[in-house]
């Protein structure tokens, strides 16, 4: 059957929500777009007049596509070079989805997106649909074809896994900017002790270069080790300038709701450093440098009013 303008409009009205669900499920904007496009093709081929609740139908199709994708993605990540981190989304990206409640903001934070790799595909699906989009367990059970009690149990289990060893404190924009300013000042001071004072004792630093950009293949653990690493990372050198293709500009820009630094060379985002803050200090620094995961950030950066850089690394 040919798709009518009304059918197309109905799908487009759900596109943003579907993209936001898929991104949280997959941790990749590119894969999320592919999943939504496949959902559209199935909508296009369906007998739409027989679908009573289009939103529920589309959500079920998309979620199951994402579950299949997660299974194959886990196999691919076993051979991934170094640490795997999600694709970061700059503040203002519509794929971040709803951010009206603390739960919705938490569900798309870079820290939680990283921790969601611990979850089984079904746990992840239930957590995303319930926490970020407020779907009742009755509807989630229908989407995943399980019982309502099983959905509730999966949700409890997911929350427990994500809470283990985590004590995140939500910070407002002013506090986040102050933290970023203090972090930059300490990291560029050349003094390890200045950085250590901002970190928790068990702080970690994780970098994702995807085998295309040099990055540690294992996490750096402990405040002193992380501080030493950051001191070296922010120290200018001719070798670094040559490698990245020129001087770097560093901008303060929230990413996935967390205080972050965005590193730009000649208009291209070459690194995103997400800073996880707790009441006790900075507990993790996660750096995405894989160019395959920064193309969308470059597009948004180019289109936005990004102001003046916080730091120039010459």
């Amino acid at each position: 059957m040919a798709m009518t303008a009304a059918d197309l409009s109905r799908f487009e009205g759900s596109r943003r929500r579907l993209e936001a669900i898929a991104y949280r499920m997959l941790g990749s904007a590119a894969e999320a777009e592919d999943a939504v496009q496949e959902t559209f093709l199935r909508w296009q081929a369906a007998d739409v007049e027989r679908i009573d609740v289009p939103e529920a139908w589309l959500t079920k199709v998309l979620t199951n596509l994402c579950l299949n994708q997660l299974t194959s993605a886990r196999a691919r990540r076993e051979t991934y070079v170094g640490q795997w981190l999600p694709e970061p989304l700059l503040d203002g990206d519509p794929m971040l989805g709803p951010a009206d409640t603390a739960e919705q903001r938490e569900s798309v934070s870079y820290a939680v997106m990283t921790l969601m790799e611990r979850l089984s595909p079904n746990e992840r699906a239930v957590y995303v649909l319930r926490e970020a989009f407020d779907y009742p367990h009755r509807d989630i059970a229908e989407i995943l074809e399980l019982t309502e009690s099983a959905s509730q149990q999966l949700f409890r289990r997911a929350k427990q896994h994500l809470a283990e060893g985590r004590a995140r404190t939500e910070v407002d924009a002013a506090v986040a900017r102050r933290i970023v300013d203090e972090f930059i000042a300490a990291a560029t001071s050349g003094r390890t002790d200045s950085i250590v004072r901002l970190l928790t004792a068990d702080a970690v630093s994780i970098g994702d270069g995807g085998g295309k950009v040099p990055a540690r293949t294992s996490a750096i653990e402990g405040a002193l080790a992380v501080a030493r690493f950051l001191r070296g990372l922010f120290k200018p050198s001719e070798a670094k300038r040559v490698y990245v293709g020129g001087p770097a500009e560093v901008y303060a820009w929230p990413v996935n709701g967390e205080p972050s630094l965005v590193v730009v060379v000649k208009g291209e985002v070459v690194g995103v450093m997400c800073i996880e803050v707790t009441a006790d200090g900075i507990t993790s620094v996660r750096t995405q440098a894989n160019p395959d995961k920064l193309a969308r950030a470059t597009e948004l950066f180019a289109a936005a009013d990004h102001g003046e850089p916080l730091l120039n690394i010459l």
Side-chain angles (χ1 to χ4, degrees):
M1 294 179 63
M3 175 166 284
T4 67
D7 295 335
L8 178 59
S9 177
R10 202 172 299 163
F11 180 85
E12 290 302 327
S14 296
R15 181 181 289 275
R16 291 299 189 198
R17 178 180 56 83
L18 295 174
E19 286 181 344
I21 292 173
Y23 171 68
R24 283 170 166 82
M25 285 283 293
L26 301 173
S28 164
E31 291 179 5
E33 288 176 336
D34 290 344
V36 172
Q37 181 60 23
E38 180 61 29
T39 302
F40 172 73
L41 294 176
R42 297 193 182 194
W43 171 256
Q44 192 176 39
D47 185 354
V48 174
E49 291 184 358
R50 299 182 61 134
I51 298 174
D52 295 329
V53 186
E55 178 182 311
W57 188 92
L58 290 169
T59 303
K60 182 169 184 173
V61 170
L62 176 83
T63 301
N64 282 285
L65 286 169
C66 289
L67 289 173
N68 292 336
Q69 180 72 6
L70 278 174
T71 302
S72 60
R74 291 198 168 192
R76 291 197 308 274
R77 286 169 196 167
E78 288 180 1
T79 59
Y80 191 82
V81 179
Q83 299 286 311
W84 184 94
L85 290 173
E87 180 176 348
L89 297 184
L90 274 60
D91 188 46
D93 193 317
M95 197 175 279
L96 288 169
D100 298 326
T101 67
E103 290 77 15
Q104 288 172 336
R105 293 188 292 273
E106 174 84 350
S107 71
V108 80
S109 72
Y110 206 64
V112 166
M113 291 289 292
T114 302
L115 290 173
M116 276 201 281
E117 290 298 301
R118 299 178 177 179
L119 306 182
S120 71
N122 273 356
E123 286 173 346
R124 189 162 184 164
V126 171
Y127 175 80
V128 167
L129 293 172
R130 179 62 184 161
E131 192 81 341
F133 297 90
D134 203 28
Y135 276 80
H137 283 290
R138 178 184 64 256
D139 293 352
I140 297 172
E142 185 174 341
I143 289 169
L144 297 179
E145 297 182 354
L146 42 76
T147 65
E148 189 170 342
S149 62
S151 175
Q152 292 169 340
Q153 184 177 18
L154 285 166
F155 182 66
R156 286 193 298 270
R157 195 181 303 156
K159 293 275 283 185
Q160 181 180 356
H161 288 326
L162 294 176
E164 289 172 358
R166 177 170 164 76
R168 184 172 185 272
T169 302
E170 190 172 26
V171 297
D172 62 28
V175 174
R177 180 52 189 266
R178 178 178 59 77
I179 291 167
V180 168
D181 288 342
E182 291 178 357
F183 180 82
I184 281 286
T188 57
S189 68
R191 294 176 56 86
T192 302
D193 58 337
S194 297
I195 308 174
V196 169
R197 281 196 291 269
L198 296 178
L199 304 173
T200 61
D202 59 351
V204 297
S205 176
I206 302 171
D208 178 350
K212 300 185 177 184
V213 173
R216 290 281 295 264
T217 57
S218 59
I220 300 169
E221 301 180 352
L224 183 58
V226 171
R228 287 172 173 164
F229 170 74
L230 292 171
R231 183 189 63 188
L233 188 66
F234 280 88
K235 185 177 181 180
S237 73
E238 180 62 25
K240 291 177 184 176
R241 286 192 293 273
V242 170
Y243 183 82
V244 301
E249 298 175 330
V250 181
Y251 294 83
W253 198 324
V255 172
N256 288 72
E258 292 183 343
S260 304
L261 299 175
V262 176
V263 184
V264 180
V265 175
K266 297 179 180 178
E268 181 180 354
V269 176
V270 298
V272 170
M273 180 177 286
C274 298
I275 303 168
E276 185 182 6
V277 180
T278 70
D280 298 322
I282 295 170
T283 190
S284 72
V285 178
R286 297 180 174 92
T287 303
Q288 182 56 261
N290 184 344
D292 294 343
K293 300 181 184 181
L294 296 173
R296 188 179 179 94
T298 293
E299 290 178 8
L300 193 146
F301 177 85
D305 178 12
H306 43 72
E308 295 297 316
L310 186 65
L311 175 68
N312 289 284
I313 302 178
L314 301 176

